[in-house]
Amino acid sequence: MKRMRSIGLAVGLSCLLLISATGCGNTAQETGQAEPSAPAASKQANGEPKAGGTITMAMPAEPDTLDVQRTNMLSSDTIAMLLGDTLLSQDPETHELKPNLAESYNISEDGLTWTFTLRKGVAFHDGTPLTAKALKATYERALDPKTQAKDARTRLQPLQSIEALDDQTFVMHLKEPSAPLLLNLSNLSFLQPLSSAAIQTFGDQYGRNPVGVGPWKFESWKPGESVTLVRNEAYHSPSPFAKNKGPVRPERLVIKFIKDNQTMMAALDSGSIDIATYVAPKDVKKYKKNDAYTVLEQMRSGLGLFVEMNLRSKPLQDVQVRKALNMAINKEAMVKAILLGEGEVADGPLSPNMFGYDPAIKQYAYHYDAEQAKQLLEAAGWKANGQGIVEKDGQPLSLTLLSSERWSQQSQLVQAMLKEIGVEVKIKNMDFGALLDSASKGEFDLVFMNYTEFDPDFISIFLHSREIGGMNHAAIHNKELDGLLDKGRTTVGKADRQKIYEAVQKLVVEQAYWIPLYISKDFQVVNNRVQGTVYKDVYWNFQDSWVNG
């Protein structure tokens, strides 16, 4: 699922949201900016860097498209991030923002006019130059309803208009100050520049023929099998934090799609892949003890798993029913059984390592109490029938849960726990792309979802009424919640913003819109034939990597 980003101002609007290009010097902590978690690991180099070779990595899901504006899939993002580059770049250790594709930028005192001067000499993979006009076209495409953009459109909502004053000068005019936008511009996925020439050439097939400005170029896509990328020999615009200032050293990067975790681990053991991603906790232990591998371990910023409840479903329109479902789930048992203790219980929509998290949520969140859950259902008019299933007006409380193969154990546990309070759950497994499509159409009662993010503004995509038909799968329409989410986006002071998101969490819990399940650790296992520094912090970065053997 997806992915994965955002925030801030505190010392005058001229320093809005930023560690400024001109040296305002505010840290993320000072400005109320979200603090991304530290890099997952730093690999020890063995020998001198060298060019050549192929890195093969495996992912559990195949992308629906590589058009970053039209996807919400983490697998799509993972690949697209390798193809693209960003206006700003974030240090993977300190999280400091510095110009990247932009050589400098300035934000007006009122926070409404943002001017970027683009680096000269940068070109797309098809040879067309990166200009302010090209970037303007990229953002306007995302905002165009015809594009049906997803995450990108949401992130660009603060924009009033865009100007390309000349080839190098790009200006964004905002409707109102925006806390999350600046860090969003450092995201390698949904706001990366896209080639207008390629979009015009390939039309609806652009998602199978993506063209960016990044270190890797798209070569081929074998449906159901893999995507192959090749080194961009013309690349010379890496992050200012990278040591290697030229093209990446490996010649090819092959991303294989292996849904079954055991099959993926067997491929790692046999050497047919170099990197296994999102490895189950139960499989990690042996690699930690093996000097041939490096395990990258990182607590997720965001939720590892939660359940959205569809408010179009009549039983779920009753908040007492939603509360009962929350109280029926033994989250501690899930953390032990699924994560082997490598994670923690989720109490609300934000994880503890996200800006805006309310520590007091432990007191007002729902806790496992099956008997209290039964009482809530009975008070709402649901009585147990002869089969032990509760019913009302002759209709049993039977709900469909959308899940996928990788969540099979989780779905069975939820099914069993809800059965204990008399709720029948029918599990419907599907590929994640199909799951997202069905969820967006409202074709479910319950659906598993997860996200990785640094800034609390991201949850607007799931909770704001303007996102109904998009990622607000549950069709939540709460004016008070909409107002808080809007205020959280436009408020730039750290303390005020913290209070807003505390109020958001209280309201979401009070209305029991979600069943937050757990916050997980992400594990990736790397064969040490891949040398150098490999960071996994929302994205993989092979700029300072090379292949031995």
Side-chain angles (χ1 to χ4, degrees):
M1 94 106 256
K2 210 160 152 297
R3 15 222 195 46
M4 338 81 120
R5 313 127 159 154
S6 326
I7 314 303
L9 161 107
V11 190
L13 286 169
S14 61
C15 295
L16 184 70
L17 315 175
L18 69 124
I19 296 141
S20 163
T22 56
C24 280
N26 298 329
T27 65
Q29 191 67 31
E30 288 166 344
T31 59
Q33 180 169 322
E35 285 275 13
S37 49
S42 181
K43 295 180 59 58
Q44 296 301 311
N46 180 14
E48 291 299 314
K50 59 182 180 180
T54 297
I55 296 175
T56 303
M57 63 187 295
M59 301 192 307
E62 182 172 7
D64 52 353
T65 177
L66 292 180
D67 183 341
V68 290
Q69 295 184 353
R70 289 179 165 174
T71 184
N72 278 318
M73 290 189 69
L74 179 58
S75 55
S76 300
D77 276 1
T78 299
I79 298 174
M81 288 174 180
L82 298 163
L83 298 169
D85 222 329
T86 56
L87 278 175
L88 306 176
S89 184
Q90 184 179 183
D91 187 304
E93 292 184 350
T94 68
H95 312 303
E96 180 183 4
L97 288 175
K98 286 189 176 179
N100 190 28
L101 292 177
E103 64 180 26
S104 64
Y105 63 97
N106 178 66
I107 297 175
S108 63
E109 288 189 9
D110 61 7
L112 299 180
T113 303
W114 298 18
T115 303
F116 297 83
T117 301
L118 301 184
R119 185 189 298 193
K120 295 180 180 179
V122 178
F124 289 98
H125 300 153
D126 58 9
T128 57
L130 172 64
T131 62
K133 184 178 179 181
L135 194 56
K136 179 176 183 287
T138 294
Y139 289 1
E140 287 180 341
R141 176 180 185 261
L143 290 168
D144 187 343
K146 294 178 182 177
T147 304
Q148 296 183 324
K150 300 182 185 297
D151 211 347
R153 176 183 62 83
T154 300
R155 303 307 181 109
L156 293 174
Q157 283 300 315
L159 294 190
Q160 179 72 47
S161 62
I162 309 167
E163 288 184 278
L165 301 185
D166 53 45
D167 281 353
Q168 261 59 58
T169 310
F170 175 73
V171 183
M172 298 191 303
H173 298 283
L174 277 59
K175 303 170 190 173
E176 54 198 358
S178 172
L181 183 59
L182 196 70
L183 193 58
N184 283 339
L185 297 178
S186 73
N187 182 273
L188 277 166
S189 178
F190 44 81
L191 295 186
Q192 65 175 265
L194 305 180
S195 167
S196 297
I199 291 170
Q200 186 173 359
T201 298
F202 295 110
D204 289 341
Q205 292 302 305
Y206 173 77
R208 294 273 167 167
N209 300 274
V211 175
V213 296
W216 297 93
K217 296 167 61 174
F218 175 82
E219 183 179 73
S220 63
W221 186 338
K222 295 180 181 178
E225 184 177 332
S226 64
V227 163
T228 298
L229 311 180
V230 295
R231 178 172 57 211
N232 177 10
E233 301 289 356
Y235 186 68
H236 62 274
S237 54
S239 158
F241 310 104
K243 295 178 182 178
N244 173 23
K245 302 302 182 183
V248 292
R249 296 183 180 95
E251 188 175 339
R252 269 183 170 71
L253 178 59
V254 178
I255 300 104
K256 292 186 176 181
F257 313 127
I258 305 178
K259 297 179 183 178
D260 181 73
N261 188 72
Q262 294 311 307
T263 303
M264 185 186 294
M265 303 324 294
L268 183 68
D269 291 341
S270 70
S272 60
I273 64 171
D274 302 305
I275 301 172
T277 62
Y278 301 102
V279 177
K282 65 183 178 66
D283 294 317
V284 168
K285 189 174 181 180
K286 73 172 186 178
Y287 297 100
K288 288 184 176 181
K289 297 178 179 179
N290 191 329
D291 291 340
Y293 300 92
T294 294
V295 175
L296 309 184
E297 177 179 331
Q298 185 178 35
M299 185 65 78
R300 181 185 289 259
S301 180
L303 299 189
L305 197 65
F306 65 97
V307 178
E308 289 183 284
M309 293 182 275
N310 191 352
L311 300 191
R312 303 175 187 87
S313 177
K314 188 174 180 180
L316 298 177
Q317 291 171 3
D318 187 337
V319 67
Q320 300 307 317
V321 172
R322 300 197 300 271
K323 289 179 179 180
L325 298 189
N326 266 275
M327 298 181 74
I329 303 300
N330 188 336
K331 300 176 188 179
E332 288 83 359
M334 292 192 76
V335 169
K336 290 178 182 177
I338 304 295
L339 306 180
L340 303 183
E342 298 281 6
E344 56 187 81
V345 165
D347 293 307
L350 303 181
S351 62
N353 53 358
M354 292 179 70
F355 173 77
Y357 174 77
D358 181 11
I361 198 170
K362 293 288 182 185
Q363 279 69 57
Y364 62 79
Y366 303 106
H367 301 290
Y368 175 61
D369 189 335
E371 291 306 312
Q372 179 66 23
K374 291 177 183 178
Q375 292 173 24
L376 286 172
L377 289 178
E378 187 171 357
W382 294 91
K383 311 292 184 182
N385 61 23
Q387 288 73 47
I389 302 300
V390 296
E391 60 180 35
K392 185 177 182 179
D393 300 327
Q395 296 297 316
L397 186 46
S398 180
L399 304 172
T400 298
L401 169 64
L402 299 189
S403 182
S404 66
E405 191 174 322
R406 61 180 166 146
W407 291 324
S408 59
Q409 189 179 357
Q410 289 91 327
S411 61
Q412 291 168 25
L413 282 174
V414 167
Q415 182 185 53
M417 290 174 183
L418 292 184
K419 187 176 181 180
E420 287 295 313
I421 66 166
V423 178
E424 180 183 45
V425 173
K426 298 176 181 178
I427 300 168
K428 187 175 181 180
N429 283 318
M430 54 183 64
D431 290 339
F432 195 68
L435 180 149
L436 279 176
D437 184 58
S438 292
S440 295
K441 294 175 181 176
E443 299 171 348
F444 71 99
D445 296 307
L446 310 172
V447 61
F448 278 144
M449 201 60 53
N450 64 4
Y451 77 89
T452 299
E453 184 53 68
F454 302 130
D455 187 75
D457 176 68
F458 180 77
I459 62 174
S460 295
I461 200 171
F462 294 109
L463 298 169
H464 201 292
S465 63
R466 66 169 168 260
E467 301 297 335
I468 295 174
M471 289 296 286
N472 182 352
H473 308 130
I476 297 165
H477 194 166
N478 183 316
K479 289 183 179 179
E480 181 183 0
L481 181 57
D482 285 352
L484 286 169
L485 292 169
D486 288 338
K487 193 174 181 182
R489 174 172 290 179
T490 58
T491 298
V492 291
K494 178 182 176 182
D496 290 340
R497 202 161 183 258
Q498 174 72 30
K499 291 178 182 177
I500 291 166
Y501 284 105
E502 287 176 0
V504 167
Q505 289 160 89
K506 288 177 182 175
L507 184 54
V508 171
V509 170
E510 175 187 295
Q511 292 299 314
Y513 287 133
W514 292 358
I515 307 175
L517 296 176
Y518 56 71
I519 301 139
S520 56
K521 287 183 180 178
D522 288 335
F523 294 101
Q524 334 288 338
V525 182
V526 182
N527 187 310
N528 285 341
R529 71 185 292 269
V530 179
Q531 287 286 301
T533 302
V534 178
Y535 288 115
K536 175 63 179 68
D537 188 21
V538 177
Y539 64 93
W540 290 90
N541 186 338
F542 298 104
Q543 187 63 30
D544 291 324
S545 304
W546 67 94
V547 178
N548 271 348

